[in-house]
Amino acid sequence: MAGFRLEPHPGDPDFTRRLVLDRPAGGRWLALTYAGSRFDRPIRPMLRFVAADGAITEALLPGPVLGRADWIGPVPPGTTAILLAAPEPGLRIEAARLLRLPAVLVRAARRPDRLALALSFAARGDRRRFHNTLRIAAAVTPMADYAAWKAREARAFEPALDRSPPADPLRIGLLIEARTEDAEALRRTLGSLLAQSHRDWRLAVRWHGAPAALPSEPRVSPIDGPGLPDADAIGVLHPGDVLAPDALALLAAALAHPSRPEMVYADDEVATAGGLRPRLKPGWSPDLALATLYTGRPTLITRDLVARSRWSPADGIRTLALAAALAVAPDRVRHVARILCRCPAEPEAHGHGAALAPMLARAGVPARPREEGGTTDLLWPLPDPPPLVSVVIPTRDRPDLIRVAVRGVLEETDYPALELVLVDNGSTDPAVADFYARLAGDPRVRRLDRPGPFNFSALVNAGVAASRGAVVVLLNNDVEVREARWLAEMVRLAVRPGIGAVGAKLLYGNGRLQHAGVVVGLGGRAGHILRNRPADTPGHLGRLRVTHEVAGVTAACLAVGRAAFDRVGGFDAQAFAVDFNDIDFCLRLGAEGLRTLWTPHAVLAHHESVSRGPAVGAARERFEAEAARFTQRWRTVIRDDPYYHPALSVTTFGEDLE
């Protein structure tokens, strides 16, 4: 174990401390163990390695969700300083170890398939992929090994570190429905309530059948009418739910946040036949909440919000979260990224359309439940008449690609009101000129000639400026239409109030996932989640089966209202000529209060970057420069993508633990 100390690093608003080791770290691997306060959001720490020549490399670490976290990664050769971005004083480094490569290989042997892949990259001289894959083998835990990960990362409560913020006295009322045969499970739930550090709670039980005998406890009573417990906040439990001892204290502290939330929820774990599995939930995601009820347990809802939602116990206890999700303002919900409840079985996530339909009508929401493949989603209406949509395709040469893309838009799409704007970046192939000549008689098609160096953002902006539609769809020339309904599915979302960009489900030519939304921080900057997985991959919490919020989507197929596009000034052609422009665009929409959605109901094929080829040489240098600008602009989101849990790995493109 290396000796270490933390020193102040003044003058940098992000990297405020310097990690000083007792021997040179460059060229070795660094293993860190660190702890964070249970009452602080476990935002990911970040390390910055600074070399003597000024070169900078940054690494994103997992958040200490269970109180503690571990990270291991390579230190670039020539590193002279290691800087830390992390909460002060809420993060404590407990151990720092410098490892040589053989020690890392020993650690990686626990995942021999990954180790073999890493060694194959080393044999090819691909240092970057070797390091990334070796990190996965040595430090990333598959979701199936959650129990071992939890045992390693969990930390006992420490009064000196886990200092709860001052909170107003809060009485918590909990509702539970039970049958006589649930008595033993209900006793387990009551036992966890009796162990709570927050003592001011009430439990109201609605019995279906004869009440079972429970331990005598004055805070427990039956529900014998339409009233609610006398409480400031209401929550729902199921028989057999076991709360962590500090669960109610953490939820109460969240309700006392200066933003004055009206709804707070935390993560849980589920006892399945294959062992414990975590439900690591995103930040507030309204579409996902209505489709999957992902907030689950534990959740607390203020009495004022319960009243405003017009919910009553007569509606059914399990519909409370639906009613609250429809009534709450997005900025009045807070997620506690801690695992605070063990549930006896997989929570009900789908098939709740019958309960959802009347609540949507009561709330004046024009959508209706959509039941497909055993899941519930929302079907939003198209305006009547449908708005004109401008499909903008930047392109150059490659007649084989542009013919397929154009045919898909003009002949294989069932949307009734569209125009196609082709922005040509200096094509010289005679076959392309012949193709354009054949399109000249179609009144739906317009062409702009924009020769010159490739600047995707500038081409997009020019195409949008020349278009007339109320909705703009950006489409790559290597995208192939697979289903006629794709455009209508995207437009019905893009015209909703409060929505910015809308992305589609894109598949590689082999039918595997290419795009299911972008996670900011994945791969250190931003990346496509679950890429190259089977097309029917459900995703954590079943997210990939339904429309849901994401931090960003790819401009390979992106719909956005013209007003929203103009509101943020379109794409940033100066900072992001080729890469990161779409994610930057989505994040700027988000900064304006507009949500980005991804939908599985619009499916297309994307032959990614076929027309551009790989980035090497000068193109790689340009990519790295744009990546550095993206990191500088969006470091806060990189460290805390609201829709990606801080315990999930950003090294893999799956949903693993780290």
Side-chain angles (χ1 to χ4, degrees):
M1 183 177 298
F4 69 92
R5 66 182 186 276
L6 284 176
E7 296 179 346
H9 181 250
D12 191 315
D14 296 316
F15 294 89
T16 58
R17 286 178 282 178
R18 176 172 174 160
L19 176 63
V20 180
L21 302 171
D22 63 359
R23 55 184 183 270
R28 297 191 180 187
W29 286 63
L30 174 63
L32 290 179
T33 299
Y34 49 96
S37 168
R38 294 171 179 268
F39 290 93
D40 294 337
R41 177 166 174 79
I43 296 173
R44 299 174 186 272
M46 183 176 272
L47 293 177
R48 172 180 283 175
F49 302 102
V50 183
D53 61 1
I56 289 175
T57 305
E58 293 182 349
L60 192 60
L61 282 57
V65 169
L66 299 182
R68 176 180 288 115
D70 293 282
W71 177 85
I72 181 172
V75 181
T79 294
T80 57
I82 303 175
L83 307 180
L84 173 67
E88 294 187 65
L91 185 131
R92 177 187 69 206
I93 294 182
E94 298 184 330
R97 295 172 292 279
L98 287 174
L99 306 175
R100 296 188 182 277
L101 182 59
V104 181
L105 294 173
V106 169
R107 288 189 179 213
R110 66 194 182 104
R111 300 185 67 179
D113 55 335
R114 291 286 187 173
L115 176 57
L117 182 60
L119 293 175
S120 73
F121 287 131
R124 282 181 259 167
D126 192 335
R127 185 180 183 87
R128 181 176 62 86
R129 286 185 174 146
F130 168 60
H131 282 164
N132 286 344
T133 310
L134 188 58
R135 255 191 44 73
I136 293 170
V140 175
T141 301
M143 194 71 77
D145 295 334
Y146 162 71
W149 176 84
K150 178 183 178 182
R152 185 173 67 249
E153 305 295 337
R155 175 178 58 78
F157 180 82
E158 298 180 41
L161 183 60
D162 301 315
R163 295 180 178 178
S164 63
D168 298 330
L170 184 76
R171 174 165 293 178
I172 295 173
L174 299 165
L175 308 175
I176 197 166
E177 289 183 331
R179 300 162 298 179
T180 306
E181 56 267 33
D182 292 329
E184 184 57 36
L186 188 54
R187 290 188 189 100
R188 290 197 299 272
T189 301
L190 180 57
S192 73
L193 286 172
L194 293 172
Q196 290 297 300
S197 58
H198 183 96
R199 307 293 297 170
D200 195 0
W201 54 264
R202 301 292 184 271
L203 176 65
V205 184
R206 168 168 284 176
W207 289 102
H208 295 276
L214 296 175
S216 177
E217 168 56 53
R219 290 172 290 182
V220 179
S221 62
I223 299 177
D224 52 9
L228 291 170
D230 178 20
D232 302 300
I234 306 295
V236 173
L237 295 175
H238 294 187
D241 287 349
V242 175
L243 295 173
D246 54 356
L248 296 185
L250 283 159
L251 293 169
L255 281 174
H257 189 267
S259 62
R260 307 307 298 176
E262 295 186 301
M263 181 175 177
V264 299
Y265 61 96
D267 306 323
D268 61 75
E269 59 187 14
V270 180
T272 72
L276 280 180
R277 295 292 184 271
R279 286 169 35 90
L280 303 172
K281 303 166 188 177
W284 180 235
S285 186
D287 277 55
L288 184 65
L290 294 177
T292 68
L293 305 180
Y294 80 89
T295 51
R297 292 102 64 198
T299 297
L300 291 183
I301 301 161
T302 64
R303 195 176 187 91
D304 287 346
L305 177 57
V306 172
R308 200 165 67 250
S309 72
R310 295 185 290 173
W311 176 89
S312 76
D315 294 325
I317 285 175
R318 298 188 184 196
T319 66
L320 175 58
L322 278 176
L326 284 165
V328 71
D331 61 350
R332 302 296 296 277
V333 186
R334 192 164 178 84
H335 170 222
V336 178
R338 308 285 181 181
I339 299 168
L340 299 184
C341 184
R342 177 174 297 184
C343 304
E346 184 68 28
E348 294 180 8
H350 301 294
H352 58 281
L356 181 56
M359 291 192 169
L360 291 168
R362 181 191 301 172
V365 176
R368 60 180 175 83
R370 174 201 295 220
E371 304 285 351
E372 288 185 8
T375 67
T376 299
D377 206 346
L378 296 187
L379 181 65
W380 294 84
L382 275 172
D384 187 15
L388 177 66
V389 174
S390 299
V391 180
V392 176
I393 304 181
T395 187
R396 177 177 178 174
D397 291 326
R398 293 305 302 264
D400 54 326
L401 296 178
I402 192 61
R403 286 193 195 106
V404 172
V406 169
R407 182 179 69 240
V409 172
L410 298 181
E411 301 175 19
E412 299 170 358
T413 298
D414 63 8
Y415 192 82
L418 62 82
E419 68 170 1
L420 175 61
V421 180
L422 297 171
V423 187
D424 190 279
N425 186 217
S427 293
T428 58
D429 191 325
V432 173
D434 291 343
F435 179 63
Y436 288 162
R438 291 197 298 273
L439 292 175
D442 192 326
R444 298 172 296 172
V445 180
R446 306 178 66 194
R447 190 179 96 240
L448 296 179
D449 290 322
R450 292 293 185 272
F454 179 65
N455 184 318
F456 181 79
S457 295
L459 298 175
V460 164
N461 291 343
V464 174
S467 68
R468 300 176 292 118
V471 175
V472 173
V473 172
L474 309 180
L475 200 67
N476 276 15
N477 68 346
D478 55 358
V479 167
E480 179 181 351
V481 169
R482 289 281 185 92
E483 299 176 351
R485 69 174 184 170
W486 72 277
L487 186 53
E489 293 290 349
M490 298 183 76
V491 172
R492 67 175 75 249
L493 298 173
V495 298
R496 288 172 49 193
I499 301 303
V502 177
K505 180 176 183 176
L506 303 181
L507 306 178
Y508 287 112
N510 62 8
R512 298 176 77 85
L513 277 175
Q514 190 271 330
H515 174 257
V518 171
V519 171
V520 179
L522 206 62
R525 290 125 173 182
H528 293 194
I529 187 66
L530 293 172
R531 64 186 305 166
N532 213 29
R533 301 304 196 277
D536 60 354
T537 298
H540 190 56
L541 308 179
R543 287 188 293 185
L544 269 58
R545 294 187 174 122
V546 298
T547 301
H548 63 277
E549 288 80 359
V550 290
V553 293
T554 176
C557 184
L558 182 155
V560 62
R562 177 178 295 276
F565 186 92
D566 292 342
R567 182 171 168 181
V568 299
F571 278 30
D572 188 338
Q574 298 299 316
F576 306 110
V578 180
D579 290 293
F580 299 100
N581 37 47
D582 43 10
I583 311 308
D584 171 75
F585 175 70
C586 293
L587 294 178
R588 287 188 286 119
L589 288 170
E592 292 291 323
L594 300 173
R595 290 181 285 134
T596 292
L597 297 177
W598 175 87
T599 178
H601 306 299
V603 182
L604 304 95
H606 181 206
H607 308 285
E608 183 182 24
S609 298
V610 167
S611 58
R612 284 173 46 202
V616 296
R620 186 70 195 182
E621 292 179 9
R622 187 264 318 143
F623 172 85
E624 292 296 341
E626 292 187 0
R629 285 192 285 273
F630 179 83
T631 301
Q632 182 64 32
R633 181 177 290 183
W634 297 111
R635 183 173 285 114
T636 299
V637 187
I638 287 173
R639 290 183 58 198
D640 194 22
D641 182 326
Y643 304 114
Y644 195 65
H645 198 280
L648 295 173
S649 174
V650 295
T651 304
T652 71
F653 287 84
E655 292 170 325
D656 298 312
L657 299 164
E658 188 168 354

